[in-house]
């Protein structure tokens, strides 16, 4: 999906937040915002939001000499999520439909998105997601696809969310390749974050060779692109993966909360809606 005008204020907010997290002085924060405005002015109309976000956060990392402004926030989110792991597993163990609950738990973890919001409430979100209907319900199609797929390619989103993904992966009962970013961007998961969540105990971890949010295929490394092209079933977490892959022809199931009004409108759902969208879901 293309960048919407409503995305512009969000880009500025992200630039300021990242600059402050990186320890920029007020003067440097102002310089970063002004340069962000210049880059927004030059943004091609057809660009996706993750392309612009990648540019902005690369600018912040360069100007502040901080390679990972969100590092501490990611570590804290992972610690917080790991403390919930026994409760999350208990929800699945007690469920009449364990796949439904495991998918919902993975979607609940998608609230840990510091690109969309500075704060979140895991307990409130978990309770809501376990009870609310799916606005786009591709669960039956996902269940069917899992019946024949030998391996699942799982595109991660954020650190901390990785723990919620772990609960779903533990239930899939087939080999999973877990794909993280090639380097830090916002609070997106890197190999370090996946290892902290214990993903290496249940899945192969690879990176896509790119630091852009989502999965910008043209920026990804060739080994990952080959895996993507050959995949029988792809689970893609979060809004940025939807933004970058929604027009790609592939066996992708998007699992996310529509936290952004622009993305919610593109999906045709209300803000905050829960989505399991497969290749033919509507």
């Amino acid at each position: 999906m293309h960048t919407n005008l409503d995305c512009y204020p969000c880009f500025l907010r992200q630039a300021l937040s990242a600059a402050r997290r990186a320890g920029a002085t007020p003067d440097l924060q102002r310089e970063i915002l002004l340069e962000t405005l210049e880059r927004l002015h030059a943004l091609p109309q057809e660009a996706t939001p993750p392309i612009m976000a990648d540019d902005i956060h690369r600018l912040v990392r360069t100007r502040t000499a901080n390679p990972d402004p969100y590092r501490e926030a990611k570590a804290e989110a992972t610690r917080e999520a790991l403390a919930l792991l026994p409760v999350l597993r208990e929800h699945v163990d007690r469920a009449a439909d364990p796949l439904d609950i495991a998918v919902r738990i993975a979607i609940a973890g998608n609230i840990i998105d510091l690109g969309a919001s500075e704060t979140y409430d895991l307990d409130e979100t978990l309770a809501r997601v376990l009870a609310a209907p799916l606005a786009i319900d591709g669960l039956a199609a996902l269940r069917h696809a899992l019946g024949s797929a030998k391996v699942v390619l799982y595109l991660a989103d954020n650190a901390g969310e990785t723990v919620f993904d772990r609960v779903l992966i533990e239930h899939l009962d087939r080999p999973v390749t877990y794909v993280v970013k090639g380097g830090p961007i916002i609070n997106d998961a890197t190999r370090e974050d996946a290892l902290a969540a214990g993903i290496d105990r249940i899945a192969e971890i690879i990176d896509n060779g790119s630091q852009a949010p989502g999965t910008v295929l043209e920026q990804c490394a060739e080994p990952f692109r080959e895996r993507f092209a050959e995949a029988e079933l792809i689970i893609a977490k979060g809004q940025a993966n939807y933004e970058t892959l929604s027009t790609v022809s592939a066996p992708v199931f998007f699992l996310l909360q529509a936290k952004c009004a622009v993305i919610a409108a593109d999906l045709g759902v209300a803000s905050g809606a829960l989505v399991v969208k497969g290749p033919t879901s509507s």
Side-chain angles (χ1 to χ4, degrees):
M1 56 179 285
H2 298 325
T3 298
N4 187 287
L5 291 177
D6 289 326
C7 300
Y8 284 50
C10 186
F11 289 141
L12 289 169
R13 179 188 58 77
Q14 282 193 36
L16 182 58
S17 174
R20 286 174 171 167
R21 289 176 185 273
T25 64
D27 285 345
L28 182 53
Q29 291 173 32
R30 181 177 182 276
E31 291 174 17
I32 288 170
L33 281 179
L34 291 175
E35 189 164 345
T36 298
L37 284 168
E38 292 176 4
R39 296 185 181 206
L40 286 171
H41 180 72
L43 179 69
Q45 189 173 0
E46 68 277 8
T48 62
I51 292 290
M52 187 61 198
D54 182 32
D55 191 37
I56 290 169
H57 288 279
R58 195 179 301 274
L59 165 68
V60 172
R61 293 194 303 269
T62 300
R63 294 297 306 276
T64 63
N66 186 327
D68 191 0
Y70 291 80
R71 182 177 185 131
E72 196 48 52
K74 292 190 294 179
E76 176 57 31
T78 300
R79 289 191 291 268
E80 186 180 4
L82 283 170
L84 284 175
L85 185 57
V87 173
L88 302 178
R89 285 171 168 160
E90 185 178 355
H91 279 296
V92 176
D93 291 342
R94 294 186 313 185
D97 185 348
L99 179 63
D100 174 63
I101 297 302
V103 165
R104 287 172 177 274
I105 284 171
I107 292 173
N110 188 230
I111 199 66
I112 307 173
D113 182 353
L114 297 179
S117 176
E118 295 293 317
T119 61
Y120 54 85
D121 185 328
L122 284 182
D123 292 328
E124 183 279 329
T125 300
L126 181 61
R128 174 175 59 83
V129 173
L130 289 176
L134 298 173
I136 297 178
D137 187 354
L139 183 61
L142 176 59
R143 195 188 307 272
H144 178 76
L146 284 167
S148 58
K150 295 182 178 63
V151 179
V152 176
L153 190 68
Y154 199 116
L155 309 184
D157 192 11
N158 300 309
E161 185 175 348
T162 46
V163 176
F164 290 72
D165 293 338
R166 178 176 171 178
V167 174
L168 174 55
I169 293 169
E170 287 173 345
H171 181 71
L172 293 180
D173 193 29
R174 70 204 63 242
V176 172
T177 299
Y178 195 74
V179 185
V180 295
K181 296 298 182 295
I185 176 76
I186 322 179
N187 66 318
D188 286 30
T190 61
R191 180 179 295 273
E192 178 184 5
D193 302 312
L195 290 171
I199 298 294
D200 57 311
R201 303 175 196 173
I202 54 168
E204 175 193 17
I205 301 172
I206 66 171
D207 71 68
N208 66 8
S210 168
Q211 282 185 258
T215 304
V216 183
L217 288 172
E218 59 268 27
Q219 292 188 14
C220 292
E222 183 62 28
F224 167 74
R225 291 204 303 268
E226 291 174 359
R227 295 250 199 152
F228 188 92
E230 296 167 357
E232 300 174 279
L233 173 58
I234 302 167
I235 292 176
K237 287 296 300 298
Q239 296 186 137
N241 273 319
Y242 175 75
E243 288 173 304
T244 50
L245 295 175
S246 59
T247 60
V248 173
S249 178
V252 181
F253 282 82
F254 297 101
L255 274 57
L256 63 118
Q257 295 184 51
K259 302 178 291 291
C260 161
V262 173
I263 293 174
D266 191 79
L267 285 162
V269 301
S271 292
L274 316 179
V275 171
V276 179
K277 181 175 174 58
T280 59
S281 302
S282 59

